[in-house]
Amino acid sequence: MTDPFALTEDQLAIQDMARRFTADAITPHAAQWDEKHLFPRETLRAAAQLGFGGIYVSEESGGIGLGRLEAALIMEAMAYGCPSTSAFISIHNMASWMIDRFGSDALKARYLPALVPMDMMASYCLTEPGSGSDAAALKTRAVRDGDHYVVNGSKQFISGGGENQVYVTMVRTGEDGAKGISCLVIEKDMPGVSFGAQERKLGWHSQPTAQLILEDARVPVENLLGAEGDGFKIAMIGIDGGRLNIGACSLGGAQRALDEAVAYTRERKQFGKAIADFQNTQFKLAEMAAELEAARALLYLAASKVTNEAPDKTRFAAMAKMIATETGSRVVDRALQLHGGYGYLMDYPIERIWRDLRVHSILEGTNEIMRLIVGRDLLRD
């Protein structure tokens, strides 16, 4: 950004490219993906051909080496067509970046040439059946056995579970608490790796979600990211960007809902005139637009802080995620109300967006945890 209010020419070009790709390859198919629970692998790989499989993976590792604001622009643009598909690409990017940032040269050489074009796809595995918000209490344990770790435990709600080939997984190698957590790159076909049944979800139907099950899984020691005990730090650094991206997905879905509401209220007539002509409708649309722009401004600011490693980057990422996801859901809910009974039908995109955005206040850290992060950081100052 050249100033707090303007995107650069390069950023505008990236945004335009993502919007054009979405209009051509995502928006026309999103309803079918949702209704039939289709995982659009080829569309994902087509996105990767534009560089969207390694958005902030370094150029040295084959990525396009962009910042977090550029990533947010891409996620927002793709979520306009399908928040679920955009969120899947976000998670893949987060996991791939973690390998690039914290992996050895050998590990990067092994995985990134296939991850960047999305020939292989990656999942981020932190949550467990018994530890969600209290992530540092995770129980999955990895015990050193020669040149391997033997891993036992399970990971819950894994996007790409059972379909993706690579799982960046937080495990316990030491003491209780955050300091005993390490990060391993686990492959789908390693001995002892299996998956639960596909989850039956309210939304996010275009991506698979399943439990990752590890039963005496043998993972090479060389698949360790960073050092033993670095896992929680790595997870939290990675999730700052994930929070920005999921907030951006909410913005994109909400913008689509607002645009649909504007078009619908212009066409829909009641009491002899378009419902857009009623002042009550105009007030609602105005509030939706204003709240969306305010959330977008905060998210773009937070993205710039994360890119620049600002001292308050985590606080701003948490605030942006909280505000963008809650604003997005409110905007979509109002758009559905403006559609009346038609908004409840699958013939219109509003109900799908409403379902997809609902989980954004839960994943990447619940919004209650976002409030804790912000409050504690303010009091620490």
Side-chain angles (χ1 to χ4, degrees):
M1 299 175 80
T2 55
D3 60 57
F5 309 104
L7 299 176
T8 66
E9 288 186 9
D10 286 345
Q11 289 165 344
L12 289 169
I14 290 164
Q15 183 183 59
D16 181 65
M17 179 172 65
R19 285 174 173 173
R20 285 187 283 107
F21 175 79
T22 298
D24 293 340
I26 295 179
T27 304
H29 310 292
Q32 183 183 39
W33 296 341
D34 174 76
E35 182 178 359
K36 297 184 178 180
H37 294 231
L38 300 176
F39 181 42
R41 294 177 187 82
E42 294 310 311
T43 302
L44 296 171
R45 292 188 177 113
Q49 292 302 307
L50 300 177
F52 297 167
I55 297 170
Y56 34 86
V57 170
S58 64
E59 292 183 87
E60 294 79 8
S61 295
I64 56 176
L66 298 179
R68 301 309 174 121
L69 176 53
E70 289 81 6
L73 294 172
I74 293 167
M75 298 305 161
E76 183 181 355
M78 290 193 293
Y80 190 91
C82 181
S84 169
T85 302
S86 184
F88 181 90
I89 293 175
S90 165
I91 295 165
H92 168 86
N93 270 274
M94 177 166 61
S96 299
W97 173 82
M98 290 166 71
I99 293 172
D100 185 38
R101 171 75 180 271
F102 299 103
S104 65
D105 289 342
L107 209 59
K108 289 189 280 189
R110 186 182 315 151
Y111 291 111
L112 291 175
L115 288 173
V116 169
M118 298 186 79
D119 294 330
M120 295 175 70
M121 299 182 195
S123 297
Y124 173 87
C125 307
L126 176 62
T127 299
E128 296 184 358
S131 62
S133 294
D134 188 9
L138 65 84
K139 300 296 185 185
T140 297
R141 181 162 290 278
V143 177
R144 183 77 178 260
D145 179 27
D147 58 358
H148 285 76
Y149 288 102
V150 179
V151 188
N152 284 280
S154 61
K155 296 293 178 177
Q156 189 72 17
F157 307 131
I158 303 306
S159 291
E163 293 288 342
N164 287 358
Q165 295 79 24
V166 175
Y167 298 83
V168 177
T169 307
M170 308 308 146
V171 300
R172 187 165 301 286
T173 54
E175 63 190 79
D176 290 343
K179 293 182 179 179
I181 296 172
S182 300
C183 183
L184 293 175
V185 179
I186 299 176
E187 293 183 32
K188 175 181 180 179
D189 295 329
M190 286 178 175
V193 177
S194 63
F195 302 90
Q198 287 296 315
E199 303 289 359
R200 300 169 63 211
K201 300 168 293 187
L202 175 69
W204 277 26
H205 291 168
S206 74
Q207 57 166 287
T209 305
Q211 189 178 70
L212 170 65
I213 301 169
L214 303 163
E215 298 173 300
D216 291 331
R218 295 188 65 83
V219 182
V221 169
E222 62 192 23
N223 278 34
L224 181 70
L225 291 185
E228 281 197 3
D230 286 349
F232 194 76
K233 177 184 70 175
I234 291 171
M236 293 302 102
I237 292 172
I239 212 168
D240 275 347
R243 287 168 180 162
L244 295 173
N245 286 348
I246 210 65
C249 288
S250 284
L251 295 177
Q255 186 65 57
R256 171 74 179 284
L258 174 58
D259 291 349
E260 293 285 344
V262 169
Y264 180 83
T265 57
R266 282 173 168 164
E267 295 175 0
R268 176 70 169 170
K269 289 182 169 56
Q270 292 290 282
F271 305 101
K273 61 181 179 179
I275 61 175
D277 292 336
F278 290 99
Q279 191 177 61
N280 178 63
T281 302
Q282 294 169 13
F283 281 3
K284 283 187 177 180
L285 292 172
E287 290 168 356
M288 292 158 69
E291 291 176 16
L292 196 53
E293 288 296 343
R296 182 177 286 118
L298 175 58
L299 189 126
Y300 287 7
L301 173 61
S304 295
K305 284 179 175 285
V306 172
T307 295
N308 295 320
E309 298 285 344
D312 54 0
K313 64 175 183 175
T314 295
R315 181 205 301 179
F316 271 80
M319 289 194 297
K321 190 264 184 183
M322 175 181 73
I323 295 299
T325 57
E326 292 178 4
T327 299
S329 288
R330 282 198 306 273
V331 167
V332 177
D333 190 68
R334 291 178 199 166
L336 195 155
Q337 189 72 19
L338 286 170
H339 278 72
Y342 292 104
Y344 202 68
L345 301 181
M346 293 177 69
D347 303 81
Y348 292 79
I350 303 300
E351 61 82 31
R352 169 173 57 83
I353 298 170
W354 187 91
R355 288 185 287 105
D356 281 348
L357 263 57
R358 182 59 187 87
V359 75
H360 293 187
S361 297
I362 299 171
L363 53 80
E364 308 289 27
T366 66
N367 283 8
E368 290 74 18
I369 294 297
M370 297 305 99
R371 287 170 166 83
L372 278 176
I373 290 170
V374 174
R376 288 174 179 173
D377 196 57
L378 289 170
L379 292 171
R380 187 162 46 241
D381 289 348

